[in-house]
Amino acid sequence: MTAVDRVAVVIPVHNEEDHLGRALAGVEAAASALRQVHPHIDLRVLVVLDSCTDGSAAIASAYAARNSCFSVLAVAFRSVGRSRRAGIWQMLGAAADTSPGAVAGLWLANTDADSVVPENWLVGQIRLAAAGADAVLGSVDVDPAGMAPELLSRWQSMHSFGEDHPHVFGANLGVRGSAYLAAGGFPRHLSHEDRVLAGRLREHGFDVRATDTIRVRTSGRTQARAPKGFGAYLRTLGRDIALAPEA
């Protein structure tokens, strides 16, 4: 198993000015923790701005201006799947050779602009990669702020987490570069691109680890960015509940 010597974090963004600052701060803290434990690993963070018309670009650009490991890519897809895919291809393109064998030491960590990763997020993924994982499916909990208490309770009752959980979240997914290429990468879907990739990885026989040791907190909003994404799922879950108005 090739040791990880490069980590690329990709964050798709579509009009997330209310959440993006916290998301980037979380990734920056996780990057700092990774440097302390693995100072030899090269780290890059790419913020993919997809058709943003709010202040998201200014927030991302400010991080890129003061932290050299952050960069920005502007696209016009209105598709989280295509945004993730484009960001990863840009990161892969930084390598002189993008054959699967040449990128076996590259780890691709994915999260979302409305989510906050824990400080051990990258350290935890690299630990599992060193133990043989080709991909890591982390768990996600929802931010209770602004959520109807009944919806939060229903979510928690249906999503008890532990090791080997059955869930797949693009907000908390890591994959080795060679496995990503062999499985065909993220599809250009408007939603569920994370589940499709996880399924492809398993079909190809890769070691996919589902863990609750690196839990990400994501927005509990029900106004979805992706038509069939996490927000839409929460809205369906709370269909018969009087949902609290969102700020």
Side-chain angles (χ1 to χ4, degrees), residues 137-168:
L137 307 179
S139 56
V140 162
D141 200 1
V142 293
D143 187 342
M147 284 188 74
E150 297 88 346
L151 177 56
L152 177 61
S153 177
R154 180 170 296 183
W155 157 263
Q156 291 172 337
S157 69
M158 296 177 65
H159 293 81
S160 57
F161 288 110
E163 298 308 283
D164 302 316
H165 63 76
H167 311 294
V168 181

Side-chain angles (χ1 to χ4, degrees), residues 41-73:
I41 291 181
D42 179 69
L43 174 69
R44 295 288 182 266
V45 180
L46 181 61
V47 183
V48 183
L49 298 166
D50 186 359
S51 309
C52 292
T53 57
D54 65 350
S56 296
I59 295 168
S61 296
Y63 268 85
R66 67 177 180 79
N67 190 328
S68 60
C69 79
F70 282 76
S71 59
V72 175
L73 171 66

Side-chain angles (χ1 to χ4, degrees), residues 16 18-19 114 142-148 151-152 218-225 230-236 238 241-247:
E16 293 285 6
D18 292 337
H19 298 98
D114 67 339
V142 293
D143 187 342
M147 284 188 74
L151 177 56
L152 177 61
T218 195
S219 166
R221 67 184 175 201
T222 55
Q223 297 300 320
R225 293 292 191 269
F230 187 70
Y233 167 70
L234 286 180
R235 190 165 193 85
T236 299
I241 298 173
L243 297 178
E246 296 181 356

Side-chain angles (χ1 to χ4, degrees), residues 78-168:
R78 287 187 174 271
S79 164
V80 66
R82 293 185 68 185
S83 295
R84 287 196 207 280
R85 187 180 179 93
I88 287 177
W89 278 116
Q90 172 145 318
M91 290 302 203
L92 288 168
D97 182 356
T98 56
S99 63
V103 294
L106 171 63
W107 188 261
L108 302 165
N110 299 270
T111 189
D112 286 340
D114 67 339
S115 304
V116 179
V117 304
E119 188 172 328
N120 72 330
W121 184 58
L122 294 173
V123 172
Q125 290 195 28
I126 299 311
R127 174 181 56 80
L128 289 168
D134 297 303
V136 173
L137 307 179
S139 56
V140 162
D141 200 1
V142 293
D143 187 342
M147 284 188 74
E150 297 88 346
L151 177 56
L152 177 61
S153 177
R154 180 170 296 183
W155 157 263
Q156 291 172 337
S157 69
M158 296 177 65
H159 293 81
S160 57
F161 288 110
E163 298 308 283
D164 302 316
H165 63 76
H167 311 294
V168 181

